Amino acid sequence: MRGRLEITKRMLRENQAWAQERVARDPDFFLRNAGSQSPDVLWIGCADSRVPAEYTINAQPGELFVHRNIANLVTESDLNVMSVLQYAVVELKVKHIVVCGHHGCGGVRASMAAERKDLPYVNRKLEPLRALYRLHAHEINLLEDDIKRVNRLVELNVFEQVRNLTRNDVVQQAWQATQTLLLHGWIYDICNGKLSELVTVGAKRG
Ligand SMILES: [Zn+2]
């Protein structure tokens, strides 16, 4: 327990060091950023601690607008992801939306197993993913090992979430207004830290 409590103290110490080091390299960095933000990219990723969005692409503060949830789902009934999406597209006018899934996703794995009675919120959240699994169970279950089955559903889930975005009214209205908005489906490999692109949808305008 003591070790776990120490973690937050270490985090605050590390933050002091990080902020000082950032200013040493670029004295006006935080002052420049404090005025406003204009990120070009909305990142919708998994909440998994092993997939820290900014780290994986060497992004600096101000570069990414980020939403993360279990299994990177884009569900219209989820006010959290919908409000982030709306603000990013309508107000910030991001040019790209990245949906990033990752191999070995615990949320995806959970959606392929029996529901756990002690996790009712998680169960509700994963309902669309369970439906996707049922739809593709025949193909997925032909794969010989568990890791491949999970990773196949991870990929299908990224395609599905990008598809959800293409049908979303916020995205549709941006496209009708000829706003540049590209949708990308990526996969992060937790075994080697590398991202790969599965799909890109949309067109560059102007
Ligand atoms: Zn995950």
mmCIF file with all atom_site columns, all heavy atoms in Angstrom, residues 37-54:
data_model
loop_
_atom_site.group_PDB
_atom_site.id
_atom_site.type_symbol
_atom_site.label_atom_id
_atom_site.label_alt_id
_atom_site.label_comp_id
_atom_site.label_asym_id
_atom_site.label_entity_id
_atom_site.label_seq_id
_atom_site.pdbx_PDB_ins_code
_atom_site.Cartn_x
_atom_site.Cartn_y
_atom_site.Cartn_z
_atom_site.occupancy
_atom_site.B_iso_or_equiv
_atom_site.pdbx_formal_charge
_atom_site.auth_seq_id
_atom_site.auth_comp_id
_atom_site.auth_asym_id
_atom_site.auth_atom_id
_atom_site.pdbx_PDB_model_num
ATOM 1   N N   . GLN A 1 37 ? -6.095  26.689 -28.095 1.00 0.00 ? 37 GLN A N   1
ATOM 2   C CA  . GLN A 1 37 ? -5.612  25.450 -28.698 1.00 0.00 ? 37 GLN A CA  1
ATOM 3   C C   . GLN A 1 37 ? -6.119  25.344 -30.123 1.00 0.00 ? 37 GLN A C   1
ATOM 4   O O   . GLN A 1 37 ? -7.233  25.797 -30.430 1.00 0.00 ? 37 GLN A O   1
ATOM 5   C CB  . GLN A 1 37 ? -6.058  24.226 -27.899 1.00 0.00 ? 37 GLN A CB  1
ATOM 6   C CG  . GLN A 1 37 ? -7.572  24.039 -27.801 1.00 0.00 ? 37 GLN A CG  1
ATOM 7   C CD  . GLN A 1 37 ? -7.959  22.672 -27.240 1.00 0.00 ? 37 GLN A CD  1
ATOM 8   O OE1 . GLN A 1 37 ? -7.194  21.706 -27.317 1.00 0.00 ? 37 GLN A OE1 1
ATOM 9   N NE2 . GLN A 1 37 ? -9.139  22.579 -26.663 1.00 0.00 ? 37 GLN A NE2 1
ATOM 10  N N   . SER A 1 38 ? -5.331  24.781 -31.007 1.00 0.00 ? 38 SER A N   1
ATOM 11  C CA  . SER A 1 38 ? -5.797  24.533 -32.379 1.00 0.00 ? 38 SER A CA  1
ATOM 12  C C   . SER A 1 38 ? -5.194  23.223 -32.889 1.00 0.00 ? 38 SER A C   1
ATOM 13  O O   . SER A 1 38 ? -4.428  23.223 -33.853 1.00 0.00 ? 38 SER A O   1
ATOM 14  C CB  . SER A 1 38 ? -5.439  25.698 -33.303 1.00 0.00 ? 38 SER A CB  1
ATOM 15  O OG  . SER A 1 38 ? -4.045  25.924 -33.286 1.00 0.00 ? 38 SER A OG  1
ATOM 16  N N   . PRO A 1 39 ? -5.557  22.114 -32.244 1.00 0.00 ? 39 PRO A N   1
ATOM 17  C CA  . PRO A 1 39 ? -5.031  20.823 -32.695 1.00 0.00 ? 39 PRO A CA  1
ATOM 18  C C   . PRO A 1 39 ? -5.634  20.435 -34.043 1.00 0.00 ? 39 PRO A C   1
ATOM 19  O O   . PRO A 1 39 ? -6.778  20.791 -34.330 1.00 0.00 ? 39 PRO A O   1
ATOM 20  C CB  . PRO A 1 39 ? -5.503  19.857 -31.598 1.00 0.00 ? 39 PRO A CB  1
ATOM 21  C CG  . PRO A 1 39 ? -6.751  20.484 -31.056 1.00 0.00 ? 39 PRO A CG  1
ATOM 22  C CD  . PRO A 1 39 ? -6.523  21.971 -31.143 1.00 0.00 ? 39 PRO A CD  1
ATOM 23  N N   . ASP A 1 40 ? -4.875  19.738 -34.876 1.00 0.00 ? 40 ASP A N   1
ATOM 24  C CA  . ASP A 1 40 ? -5.385  19.283 -36.172 1.00 0.00 ? 40 ASP A CA  1
ATOM 25  C C   . ASP A 1 40 ? -6.021  17.908 -36.075 1.00 0.00 ? 40 ASP A C   1
ATOM 26  O O   . ASP A 1 40 ? -6.656  17.448 -37.024 1.00 0.00 ? 40 ASP A O   1
ATOM 27  C CB  . ASP A 1 40 ? -4.231  19.214 -37.195 1.00 0.00 ? 40 ASP A CB  1
ATOM 28  C CG  . ASP A 1 40 ? -3.834  20.591 -37.683 1.00 0.00 ? 40 ASP A CG  1
ATOM 29  O OD1 . ASP A 1 40 ? -4.729  21.470 -37.743 1.00 0.00 ? 40 ASP A OD1 1
ATOM 30  O OD2 . ASP A 1 40 ? -2.648  20.799 -38.000 1.00 0.00 ? 40 ASP A OD2 1
ATOM 31  N N   . VAL A 1 41 ? -5.796  17.227 -34.954 1.00 0.00 ? 41 VAL A N   1
ATOM 32  C CA  . VAL A 1 41 ? -6.181  15.807 -34.883 1.00 0.00 ? 41 VAL A CA  1
ATOM 33  C C   . VAL A 1 41 ? -6.984  15.521 -33.622 1.00 0.00 ? 41 VAL A C   1
ATOM 34  O O   . VAL A 1 41 ? -6.607  15.933 -32.522 1.00 0.00 ? 41 VAL A O   1
ATOM 35  C CB  . VAL A 1 41 ? -4.918  14.907 -34.879 1.00 0.00 ? 41 VAL A CB  1
ATOM 36  C CG1 . VAL A 1 41 ? -5.302  13.431 -34.818 1.00 0.00 ? 41 VAL A CG1 1
ATOM 37  C CG2 . VAL A 1 41 ? -4.049  15.174 -36.106 1.00 0.00 ? 41 VAL A CG2 1
ATOM 38  N N   . LEU A 1 42 ? -8.109  14.799 -33.820 1.00 0.00 ? 42 LEU A N   1
ATOM 39  C CA  . LEU A 1 42 ? -8.831  14.196 -32.702 1.00 0.00 ? 42 LEU A CA  1
ATOM 40  C C   . LEU A 1 42 ? -8.446  12.727 -32.645 1.00 0.00 ? 42 LEU A C   1
ATOM 41  O O   . LEU A 1 42 ? -8.539  12.019 -33.645 1.00 0.00 ? 42 LEU A O   1
ATOM 42  C CB  . LEU A 1 42 ? -10.356 14.318 -32.903 1.00 0.00 ? 42 LEU A CB  1
ATOM 43  C CG  . LEU A 1 42 ? -11.233 13.416 -32.012 1.00 0.00 ? 42 LEU A CG  1
ATOM 44  C CD1 . LEU A 1 42 ? -11.044 13.731 -30.537 1.00 0.00 ? 42 LEU A CD1 1
ATOM 45  C CD2 . LEU A 1 42 ? -12.709 13.543 -32.405 1.00 0.00 ? 42 LEU A CD2 1
ATOM 46  N N   . TRP A 1 43 ? -7.995  12.297 -31.480 1.00 0.00 ? 43 TRP A N   1
ATOM 47  C CA  . TRP A 1 43 ? -7.598  10.896 -31.275 1.00 0.00 ? 43 TRP A CA  1
ATOM 48  C C   . TRP A 1 43 ? -8.650  10.222 -30.412 1.00 0.00 ? 43 TRP A C   1
ATOM 49  O O   . TRP A 1 43 ? -8.949  10.691 -29.306 1.00 0.00 ? 43 TRP A O   1
ATOM 50  C CB  . TRP A 1 43 ? -6.246  10.882 -30.562 1.00 0.00 ? 43 TRP A CB  1
ATOM 51  C CG  . TRP A 1 43 ? -5.735  9.542  -30.116 1.00 0.00 ? 43 TRP A CG  1
ATOM 52  C CD1 . TRP A 1 43 ? -6.188  8.789  -29.066 1.00 0.00 ? 43 TRP A CD1 1
ATOM 53  C CD2 . TRP A 1 43 ? -4.649  8.803  -30.681 1.00 0.00 ? 43 TRP A CD2 1
ATOM 54  N NE1 . TRP A 1 43 ? -5.460  7.635  -28.944 1.00 0.00 ? 43 TRP A NE1 1
ATOM 55  C CE2 . TRP A 1 43 ? -4.501  7.621  -29.922 1.00 0.00 ? 43 TRP A CE2 1
ATOM 56  C CE3 . TRP A 1 43 ? -3.778  9.029  -31.756 1.00 0.00 ? 43 TRP A CE3 1
ATOM 57  C CZ2 . TRP A 1 43 ? -3.522  6.666  -30.194 1.00 0.00 ? 43 TRP A CZ2 1
ATOM 58  C CZ3 . TRP A 1 43 ? -2.803  8.085  -32.026 1.00 0.00 ? 43 TRP A CZ3 1
ATOM 59  C CH2 . TRP A 1 43 ? -2.683  6.918  -31.259 1.00 0.00 ? 43 TRP A CH2 1
ATOM 60  N N   . ILE A 1 44 ? -9.236  9.164  -30.935 1.00 0.00 ? 44 ILE A N   1
ATOM 61  C CA  . ILE A 1 44 ? -10.186 8.365  -30.147 1.00 0.00 ? 44 ILE A CA  1
ATOM 62  C C   . ILE A 1 44 ? -9.532  7.011  -29.925 1.00 0.00 ? 44 ILE A C   1
ATOM 63  O O   . ILE A 1 44 ? -9.383  6.212  -30.858 1.00 0.00 ? 44 ILE A O   1
ATOM 64  C CB  . ILE A 1 44 ? -11.542 8.212  -30.871 1.00 0.00 ? 44 ILE A CB  1
ATOM 65  C CG1 . ILE A 1 44 ? -12.174 9.589  -31.108 1.00 0.00 ? 44 ILE A CG1 1
ATOM 66  C CG2 . ILE A 1 44 ? -12.484 7.311  -30.051 1.00 0.00 ? 44 ILE A CG2 1
ATOM 67  C CD1 . ILE A 1 44 ? -13.435 9.560  -31.962 1.00 0.00 ? 44 ILE A CD1 1
ATOM 68  N N   . GLY A 1 45 ? -9.066  6.790  -28.706 1.00 0.00 ? 45 GLY A N   1
ATOM 69  C CA  . GLY A 1 45 ? -8.317  5.566  -28.436 1.00 0.00 ? 45 GLY A CA  1
ATOM 70  C C   . GLY A 1 45 ? -8.879  4.807  -27.255 1.00 0.00 ? 45 GLY A C   1
ATOM 71  O O   . GLY A 1 45 ? -9.875  5.204  -26.645 1.00 0.00 ? 45 GLY A O   1
ATOM 72  N N   . CYS A 1 46 ? -8.203  3.709  -26.910 1.00 0.00 ? 46 CYS A N   1
ATOM 73  C CA  . CYS A 1 46 ? -8.614  2.907  -25.762 1.00 0.00 ? 46 CYS A CA  1
ATOM 74  C C   . CYS A 1 46 ? -8.014  3.503  -24.480 1.00 0.00 ? 46 CYS A C   1
ATOM 75  O O   . CYS A 1 46 ? -6.957  4.124  -24.500 1.00 0.00 ? 46 CYS A O   1
ATOM 76  C CB  . CYS A 1 46 ? -8.137  1.467  -25.932 1.00 0.00 ? 46 CYS A CB  1
ATOM 77  S SG  . CYS A 1 46 ? -8.673  0.389  -24.576 1.00 0.00 ? 46 CYS A SG  1
ATOM 78  N N   . ALA A 1 47 ? -8.729  3.293  -23.380 1.00 0.00 ? 47 ALA A N   1
ATOM 79  C CA  . ALA A 1 47 ? -8.254  3.802  -22.088 1.00 0.00 ? 47 ALA A CA  1
ATOM 80  C C   . ALA A 1 47 ? -7.051  3.022  -21.562 1.00 0.00 ? 47 ALA A C   1
ATOM 81  O O   . ALA A 1 47 ? -6.430  3.434  -20.572 1.00 0.00 ? 47 ALA A O   1
ATOM 82  C CB  . ALA A 1 47 ? -9.390  3.739  -21.070 1.00 0.00 ? 47 ALA A CB  1
ATOM 83  N N   . ASP A 1 48 ? -6.698  1.938  -22.206 1.00 0.00 ? 48 ASP A N   1
ATOM 84  C CA  . ASP A 1 48 ? -5.596  1.068  -21.766 1.00 0.00 ? 48 ASP A CA  1
ATOM 85  C C   . ASP A 1 48 ? -4.325  1.881  -21.480 1.00 0.00 ? 48 ASP A C   1
ATOM 86  O O   . ASP A 1 48 ? -3.888  2.681  -22.302 1.00 0.00 ? 48 ASP A O   1
ATOM 87  C CB  . ASP A 1 48 ? -5.324  0.034  -22.874 1.00 0.00 ? 48 ASP A CB  1
ATOM 88  C CG  . ASP A 1 48 ? -4.436  -1.098 -22.393 1.00 0.00 ? 48 ASP A CG  1
ATOM 89  O OD1 . ASP A 1 48 ? -3.311  -0.819 -21.907 1.00 0.00 ? 48 ASP A OD1 1
ATOM 90  O OD2 . ASP A 1 48 ? -4.850  -2.255 -22.512 1.00 0.00 ? 48 ASP A OD2 1
ATOM 91  N N   . SER A 1 49 ? -3.714  1.623  -20.309 1.00 0.00 ? 49 SER A N   1
ATOM 92  C CA  . SER A 1 49 ? -2.535  2.394  -19.880 1.00 0.00 ? 49 SER A CA  1
ATOM 93  C C   . SER A 1 49 ? -1.313  2.168  -20.777 1.00 0.00 ? 49 SER A C   1
ATOM 94  O O   . SER A 1 49 ? -0.383  2.958  -20.763 1.00 0.00 ? 49 SER A O   1
ATOM 95  C CB  . SER A 1 49 ? -2.172  2.018  -18.439 1.00 0.00 ? 49 SER A CB  1
ATOM 96  O OG  . SER A 1 49 ? -1.846  0.642  -18.370 1.00 0.00 ? 49 SER A OG  1
ATOM 97  N N   . ARG A 1 50 ? -1.367  1.097  -21.564 1.00 0.00 ? 50 ARG A N   1
ATOM 98  C CA  . ARG A 1 50 ? -0.202  0.793  -22.424 1.00 0.00 ? 50 ARG A CA  1
ATOM 99  C C   . ARG A 1 50 ? -0.244  1.515  -23.762 1.00 0.00 ? 50 ARG A C   1
ATOM 100 O O   . ARG A 1 50 ? 0.663   1.364  -24.584 1.00 0.00 ? 50 ARG A O   1
ATOM 101 C CB  . ARG A 1 50 ? -0.113  -0.721 -22.657 1.00 0.00 ? 50 ARG A CB  1
ATOM 102 C CG  . ARG A 1 50 ? 0.083   -1.504 -21.378 1.00 0.00 ? 50 ARG A CG  1
ATOM 103 C CD  . ARG A 1 50 ? -0.179  -2.975 -21.593 1.00 0.00 ? 50 ARG A CD  1
ATOM 104 N NE  . ARG A 1 50 ? -1.581  -3.202 -21.984 1.00 0.00 ? 50 ARG A NE  1
ATOM 105 C CZ  . ARG A 1 50 ? -2.089  -4.402 -22.279 1.00 0.00 ? 50 ARG A CZ  1
ATOM 106 N NH1 . ARG A 1 50 ? -1.317  -5.464 -22.254 1.00 0.00 ? 50 ARG A NH1 1
ATOM 107 N NH2 . ARG A 1 50 ? -3.363  -4.520 -22.613 1.00 0.00 ? 50 ARG A NH2 1
ATOM 108 N N   . VAL A 1 51 ? -1.327  2.272  -23.995 1.00 0.00 ? 51 VAL A N   1
ATOM 109 C CA  . VAL A 1 51 ? -1.448  2.966  -25.287 1.00 0.00 ? 51 VAL A CA  1
ATOM 110 C C   . VAL A 1 51 ? -1.634  4.465  -25.055 1.00 0.00 ? 51 VAL A C   1
ATOM 111 O O   . VAL A 1 51 ? -2.697  5.026  -25.298 1.00 0.00 ? 51 VAL A O   1
ATOM 112 C CB  . VAL A 1 51 ? -2.641  2.399  -26.099 1.00 0.00 ? 51 VAL A CB  1
ATOM 113 C CG1 . VAL A 1 51 ? -2.537  2.845  -27.551 1.00 0.00 ? 51 VAL A CG1 1
ATOM 114 C CG2 . VAL A 1 51 ? -2.703  0.883  -26.023 1.00 0.00 ? 51 VAL A CG2 1
ATOM 115 N N   . PRO A 1 52 ? -0.589  5.125  -24.561 1.00 0.00 ? 52 PRO A N   1
ATOM 116 C CA  . PRO A 1 52 ? -0.707  6.568  -24.298 1.00 0.00 ? 52 PRO A CA  1
ATOM 117 C C   . PRO A 1 52 ? -0.592  7.329  -25.617 1.00 0.00 ? 52 PRO A C   1
ATOM 118 O O   . PRO A 1 52 ? 0.448   7.333  -26.271 1.00 0.00 ? 52 PRO A O   1
ATOM 119 C CB  . PRO A 1 52 ? 0.507   6.842  -23.397 1.00 0.00 ? 52 PRO A CB  1
ATOM 120 C CG  . PRO A 1 52 ? 1.498   5.781  -23.761 1.00 0.00 ? 52 PRO A CG  1
ATOM 121 C CD  . PRO A 1 52 ? 0.750   4.609  -24.284 1.00 0.00 ? 52 PRO A CD  1
ATOM 122 N N   . ALA A 1 53 ? -1.692  7.974  -25.997 1.00 0.00 ? 53 ALA A N   1
ATOM 123 C CA  . ALA A 1 53 ? -1.797  8.563  -27.333 1.00 0.00 ? 53 ALA A CA  1
ATOM 124 C C   . ALA A 1 53 ? -0.589  9.428  -27.697 1.00 0.00 ? 53 ALA A C   1
ATOM 125 O O   . ALA A 1 53 ? 0.117   9.159  -28.678 1.00 0.00 ? 53 ALA A O   1
ATOM 126 C CB  . ALA A 1 53 ? -3.077  9.383  -27.413 1.00 0.00 ? 53 ALA A CB  1
ATOM 127 N N   . GLU A 1 54 ? -0.318  10.456 -26.909 1.00 0.00 ? 54 GLU A N   1
ATOM 128 C CA  . GLU A 1 54 ? 0.729   11.418 -27.280 1.00 0.00 ? 54 GLU A CA  1
ATOM 129 C C   . GLU A 1 54 ? 2.107   10.752 -27.352 1.00 0.00 ? 54 GLU A C   1
ATOM 130 O O   . GLU A 1 54 ? 2.891   11.036 -28.258 1.00 0.00 ? 54 GLU A O   1
ATOM 131 C CB  . GLU A 1 54 ? 0.777   12.583 -26.283 1.00 0.00 ? 54 GLU A CB  1
ATOM 132 C CG  . GLU A 1 54 ? -0.423  13.512 -26.342 1.00 0.00 ? 54 GLU A CG  1
ATOM 133 C CD  . GLU A 1 54 ? -1.558  13.117 -25.415 1.00 0.00 ? 54 GLU A CD  1
ATOM 134 O OE1 . GLU A 1 54 ? -1.574  11.944 -24.961 1.00 0.00 ? 54 GLU A OE1 1
ATOM 135 O OE2 . GLU A 1 54 ? -2.419  13.967 -25.152 1.00 0.00 ? 54 GLU A OE2 1
#
